[in-house]
Amino acid sequence: MQIQTIVGKIQEQETQALVVNLFEGVTEPVGATGAVDAALGGAIRALVTAGDFRGKRNEVAVLYPTAGFPARRVLLVGLGKAEKFTVEGIRQAAATVARKARDLGVTQLHTPIHGAGIGSIEVEAAAQAVVEGTILGLYRYHELKTQLEDVRPNLEILVLVEHDPAKLDAIKAGAQSGQIIAEATCLARNLVNRPANIATPSRIAETAQVMAGVVGLQCRIMEKPEMEALGMGAFLAVNQGGGEPAKMVILEHNAGCDDLPTVVLVGKGITFDSGGISLKPSQDMWKMKDDMGGAAAVIGAIGAAAQLGLPLHIVALAPLTENMPDAWASKPGDVVKSLKGLTVEIHSTDAEGRMILIDTLTYAAQFEPQAIVDIATLTGAQAVALGLPAAAVMGDEGLITRLRAAGDATYDRVWPMPLFEEYGEQLKTDVADVRHVGSRMGGSMTAGFFLSKFVPEGVPWAHIDMAAQGLADEDRPYIPKGGTGYGVRLLVEMLRRWNG
Ligand code: BES
Ligand code: MN
Ligand code: ZN
């Protein structure tokens, strides 16, 4: 989709469809909506006074102007109550309108920047939200369909229309970052939506390599022999039951810029989690193709960071492997030696995520990071505790504060969980240094506590458990069913705010 920004009057645009908005309870529209209403001879006021349009959030009406009006359609979108309006409302409104336009067969849309300058919403943030909402809302995963005749084409051109030339630069800047961030999120969605026979560790590594070339990131793929030589026994224990060789994607933005602060992102990349010998029930097992959602998030996020030119040295580490049962697979009770040197008793082979993460966390030390953030579809307990609205975050207070702020802004939200010493009691074992699973109670925190034992000494670290967030069962305004791309916008926003 092409995005343009122009200075002009919305009611004068010759286009397939133009967009106007209305807050709930407004009966006398002003601004762009008022101007369009006047040009339409009061058609919008008529809709409102008839009670057919109330301005509820994401309510849409389509008007068909008669001769003399340059646009073929007017899409009216409700923004809800003005006092409750936020950037999230902009993303949702933009997505709702874009989908409606697509349903109508519209490929060219002119829109104002909803909410620009209203309350404390900045013009640049508003423009970013319009573009993000549009691209994210229109996302579809069609690469494996061969019968696409009946599918509506997506928007080809989105034109942002602003009457005040003083706002043009801010709008262009916001639109550009919105496009970069939304497209990175769509890359992560593709990686999650791709089935596990296609998105194998090798193929995901290839995708990361290609992306790195396009956006100018340094990329290295660590192969199995190197993992063996280093002694990544925990990571390799998960891989030993699968046919696909393990890979570790290592992406770097501003590699070698020693004066910049270094942030390492680690993403869990289980391309399929069958549970291994501790086999999962078959019912929803297909969903475990999303168990590389953390890896997808860090790959997408660092790609966006590069395109945004963020003044940080960022490293993304994505350990990739299947978790499969076979004669060579790890068994419950096996003990393996981690990269850190600690021996780990495998309690359940279905707690594989933490095994691949600990060796990656230890490996992260060599980048001498100022902070490490890992993100993983780690525990079903996270989904039980928090459900859809927020992922769990635990670890360093300062990082939690950063992540909460970024989460509230992007709506890739997180909520803090504790890492009390007592969680460690459950990880004691008679046969090794540590057991990797506790009891069912507090499962997300024992997992987090286990990870914390492998974080390089003295480095602030936070762990995000996004088990419930990776795959959506139902459509939301800008999050279609399927892979969500959760975490990309969260991490990018945290990084954008790093020095500020
Ligand atoms: N990948 C799963 C966690 C998960 C569950 C992600 C549901 C998304 C949706 C993870 O590897 C897992 O199996 N965790 C186990 C841990 C247990 C064996 C200690 C769990 O949560 O049941
Ligand atoms: Mn598992
Ligand atoms: Zn898993």
Side-chain angles (χ1 to χ4, degrees), residues 143-413:
E143 30 174 46
L144 302 176
K145 285 187 181 284
T146 61
Q147 315 286 303
L148 286 168
E149 295 79 21
D150 294 335
V151 171
R152 292 286 193 180
N154 257 335
L155 277 188
E156 283 158 19
I157 303 180
L158 177 71
V159 185
L160 308 175
V161 186
E162 171 57 51
H163 67 271
D164 180 1
K167 292 182 180 166
L168 196 65
D169 286 347
I171 291 176
K172 281 188 172 162
Q176 199 190 2
S177 8
Q179 184 166 18
I180 288 170
I181 295 166
E183 283 173 359
T185 306
C186 293
L187 168 69
R189 287 177 177 180
N190 278 341
L191 289 173
V192 171
N193 283 329
R194 278 178 199 154
N197 64 326
I198 293 175
T200 59
S202 314
R203 302 275 282 279
I204 294 176
E206 259 173 50
T207 306
Q209 214 150 22
V210 170
M211 183 274 286
V214 173
V215 305
L217 285 165
Q218 188 175 300
C219 179
R220 184 167 89 83
I221 310 299
M222 192 198 288
E223 306 287 343
K224 236 174 130 168
E226 188 178 344
M227 297 167 195
E228 282 158 359
L230 287 169
M232 293 185 158
F235 182 11
L236 289 165
V238 177
N239 184 244
Q240 78 193 41
E244 294 286 341
K247 306 271 170 180
M248 167 105 73
V249 172
I250 304 169
L251 292 164
E252 267 186 84
H253 167 59
N254 288 329
C257 297
D258 293 336
D259 44 333
L260 296 175
T262 301
V263 179
V264 176
L265 308 174
V266 173
K268 171 178 171 182
I270 297 292
T271 59
F272 188 74
D273 182 10
S274 70
I277 296 298
S278 310
L279 197 64
K280 285 183 181 295
S282 58
Q283 175 85 56
D284 278 337
M285 201 198 270
W286 67 272
K287 289 188 179 172
M288 284 300 117
K289 69 173 184 173
D290 89 336
D291 214 16
M292 32 56 71
V298 303
I299 292 169
I302 197 170
Q307 286 179 282
L308 293 167
L310 299 189
L312 291 168
H313 173 218
I314 305 168
V315 183
L317 302 175
L320 297 162
T321 174
E322 298 180 331
N323 182 28
M324 297 293 279
D326 81 0
W328 294 102
S330 299
K331 302 165 287 294
D334 283 2
V335 174
V336 297
K337 192 167 200 163
S338 64
L339 178 61
K340 181 169 177 170
L342 290 176
T343 54
V344 181
E345 182 191 14
I346 298 172
H347 181 71
S348 160
T349 64
D350 198 11
E352 81 299 334
R354 58 197 82 182
M355 297 296 277
I356 73 170
L357 290 174
I358 56 171
D359 282 349
T360 312
L361 288 169
T362 304
Y363 183 75
Q366 66 167 281
F367 298 99
E368 296 172 13
Q370 196 183 71
I372 302 176
V373 176
D374 80 68
I375 180 163
T377 47
L378 205 62
T379 65
Q382 179 274 329
V384 174
L386 291 168
L388 277 188
V393 64
M394 48 204 101
D396 178 75
E397 294 272 347
L399 283 174
I400 290 176
T401 304
R402 286 177 185 275
L403 285 161
R404 285 187 69 179
D408 289 347
T410 56
Y411 257 53
D412 264 359
R413 285 177 296 184

Side-chain angles (χ1 to χ4, degrees), residues 52-93:
D52 294 359
F53 190 89
R54 295 195 291 163
K56 291 263 184 214
R57 185 189 268 212
N58 300 332
E59 185 182 359
V60 193
V62 186
L63 292 93
Y64 294 88
T66 42
F69 194 79
R72 280 194 69 178
R73 305 171 186 81
V74 172
L75 271 53
L76 175 65
V77 62
L79 299 181
K81 294 206 168 72
E83 62 275 16
K84 282 195 171 170
F85 191 66
T86 62
V87 173
E88 171 66 4
I90 305 177
R91 283 187 288 265
Q92 292 193 12

